[in-house]
């Protein structure tokens, strides 16, 4: 189910649920259009969108789910319905952040935006020894960043890439990545504060085709490795949180494991908290802790490490960055009022919990 139809006049795209972001970006970019997609292009649009959908365009255009204007859905009682602001509005609310709890979406309709022909995007790498200076500087730079700029800090191990000196390969390193989706000339000035946070080891920011940037990280995320994601929203990146991140960089369990500190706000933060099931709108950052091992060897230790980092940062999580089915973590992904409303919707739409192989919101009936 990979059908895609772009309507460039209405600025809409309809995509069937089997599409990945690579599929969708390829079609929308034929018209110079895009909607917020994932950082790795093999990610499916369906789980990504129903869980929220954090990506490089979010500060300018919102989450993927904020751009969803309608969805075709097979419900638990076997009906085929269209959910939108006008039809089944409660279901439409739940599909934007409530995950796969309320039905099987067969196609999504999104609003799309002009993102063309290139985005100023890339990464700049700093030494791990400068972590404190870089993280503090990053926090300050984010406070002044325009909406066109979405950035993250990647605390990782330097891969053997040609633009990194051999002397750093295999050592802890900090990357600051970003995507500027506005006027290219203004992008140099907007990204400059993020590209001068410490001693620059390499700066590979450049004007990239949007699809090129959307696929730039793909080689780092091959299939068949063992993965475990955890996350924590940060209302603000206070000093204690930055200290946890610095300590965690120093204890990364292996070279595949990394931590992303992603800047939210902008258009994401302007959506009212009760407008969609993705309700943690007042959080300035999200931390994604990505524990990975090439085989089962060492995986249990990496998972324990990720759990430790997450719990040191705080309870609020994001369902799409939660690598285990754990009712307490699902509950922590939503403010209490939102969770209550999700349970009411579940009672109404799926009282037998047919859709339970997910980040589950069990019915209370
Ligand atoms: C390498 C990698 C990079 C990622 N990067 C990002 C990122 O940048 N931003 C971000 O927000 N998330 C990211 N994620 C998390 C991603 O959003 C979730 O893993 C999401 O569930 C993937 O969607 P999928 O359709 O591929 O999932 P699947 O594994 O196919 O499904 C996962 C869940 O999604 C729901 N679901 C799937 N299809 C449907 C459907 N048709 N109807 C209703 N519910 C459905 C179900 O609950 C299902 O259990 C990343 C994940 C990976 C592995």
């Amino acid at each position: 189910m990979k059908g895609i139809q772009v309507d460039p006049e209405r600025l809409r795209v309809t995509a069937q649920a089997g599409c990945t972001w690579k599929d969708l970006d390829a079609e929308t970019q034929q018209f110079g259009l895009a909607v917020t997609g994932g950082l790795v292009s093999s990610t499916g649009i369906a789980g990504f969108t129903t869980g929220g959908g954090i990506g490089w365009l979010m500060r300018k255009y919102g989450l993927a789910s904020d751009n969803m204007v309608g969805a075709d859905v097979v419900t638990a009682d076997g009906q085929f319905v269209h959910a939108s602001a006008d039809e089944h509005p409660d279901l439409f609310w739940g599909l934007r952040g409530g995950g796969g709890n309320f039905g099987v979406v067969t196609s999504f309709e999104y609003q799309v935006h002009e993102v063309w022909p290139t985005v100023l995007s890339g990464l700049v790498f700093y030494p791990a020894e400068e972590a404190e200076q870089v993280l503090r500087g990053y926090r300050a730079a984010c406070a002044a960043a325009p909406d066109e700029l979405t950035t993250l800090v990647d605390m990782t191990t330097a891969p053997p890439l040609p633009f990194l000196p051999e002397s750093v390969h295999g050592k802890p390193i900090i990357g600051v990545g970003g995507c500027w989706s506005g006027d290219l000339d203004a992008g140099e000035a907007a990204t400059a504060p993020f590209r001068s946070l410490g001693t620059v080891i390499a700066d590979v920011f450049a004007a990239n085709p949007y699809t090129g940037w959307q696929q730039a990280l793909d080689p780092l995320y091959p299939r068949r490795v063992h993965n475990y994601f955890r996350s924590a929203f940060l209302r603000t990146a206070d000093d204690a949180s930055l200290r946890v991140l610095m300590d965690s960089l120093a204890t990364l369990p292996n070279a595949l494991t990394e931590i992303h500190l992603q800047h939210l706000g902008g258009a994401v933060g302007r959506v009212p908290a009760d407008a969609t099931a993705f309700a943690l709108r007042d959080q300035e950052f999200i931390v994604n802790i990505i524990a990975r091992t090439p085989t089962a060897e060492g995986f249990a230790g990496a998972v324990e490490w990720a759990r430790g980092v997450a719990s040191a940062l705080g309870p609020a999580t994001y369902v799409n960055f939660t690598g285990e089915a754990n009712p307490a973590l699902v509950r922590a992904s939503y403010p209490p009022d939102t969770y209550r409303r999700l349970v009411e919707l579940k009672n109404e739409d799926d009282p037998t919990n047919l859709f339970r192989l997910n980040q589950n919101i069990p019915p209370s009936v």
Side-chain angles (χ1 to χ4, degrees), residues 17 37-40 42-48 50 52-55 99-101 103-106 108 221 227 229 318 320-321 357-359:
L39 269 52
V40 178
S42 56
T43 311
I45 65 167
F48 180 92
T50 53
I54 287 175
N101 276 285
V104 178
V105 179
T106 61
F108 295 85
Y221 284 88
N227 292 271
F229 282 28
Y318 168 40
N320 277 357
F321 290 165
L357 301 177
N358 48 29
Q359 298 299 338

Side-chain angles (χ1 to χ4, degrees), residues 21 35-40 43-68 94-99 108 110 150 210 214 233 262-265 267-269 271 276-279 281 286 288 318-321 334:
W21 284 104
V35 61
T36 307
L39 269 52
V40 178
T43 311
I45 65 167
F48 180 92
T49 303
T50 53
I54 287 175
W56 290 118
L57 299 180
M58 67 179 162
R59 285 177 37 80
K60 176 77 174 145
Y61 297 120
L63 304 170
S65 54
D66 296 335
N67 287 282
M68 193 216 291
L95 290 174
R96 289 173 294 155
F108 295 85
Y110 302 95
T150 298
Y210 178 70
Q214 281 289 94
F233 282 98
Q262 292 185 254
H263 184 211
L264 300 168
V268 178
V271 174
T276 71
F278 183 103
R281 299 285 179 170
I286 184 166
N288 187 8
Y318 168 40
V319 282
N320 277 357
F321 290 165
Y334 303 99

